[in-house]
Amino acid sequence: MKENIHITDHAKIRMSQRGIRLNELIFCLEVGEPIHRTGAVFYVLTDRNLSKMQPFNSTLDMKKLRGLTAII
């Protein structure tokens, strides 16, 4: 599913404003908890998601990613 990510211009601007890199967004989409609301899917990185992934990924700042939400 995540192989063909299309990032809108709006999303690129928001990512830049918030200092979110592409690899962090992809991580959020792969690991985040999907929540279906209002016709969209929200991928949220929770403490539970991050604590499971910490031993496997040392290149990302898990504290920075806490609460990261991607709306699809």
Side-chain angles (χ1 to χ4, degrees):
M1 175 182 136
K2 312 315 184 284
E3 300 88 28
N4 297 323
I5 296 174
H6 172 74
I7 301 174
T8 64
D9 290 338
H10 175 77
K12 290 175 187 175
I13 292 168
R14 293 296 187 190
M15 287 172 63
S16 175
Q17 290 172 336
R18 290 167 173 78
I20 300 169
R21 297 180 305 210
L22 181 59
N23 65 334
E24 294 169 338
L25 174 63
I26 291 170
F27 181 76
C28 180
L29 295 175
E30 290 176 349
V31 177
E33 180 179 338
I35 300 171
H36 299 265
R37 291 277 191 302
T38 65
V41 181
F42 295 72
Y43 289 89
V44 181
L45 286 177
T46 63
D47 285 332
R48 183 177 64 209
N49 302 116
L50 295 174
S51 65
K52 289 179 187 176
M53 296 308 298
Q54 182 68 47
F56 303 106
N57 195 327
S58 61
T59 61
L60 297 174
D61 180 2
M62 297 298 175
K63 289 181 183 180
K64 174 187 173 192
L65 296 177
R66 182 176 179 255
L68 180 64
T69 303
I71 303 170
I72 307 298

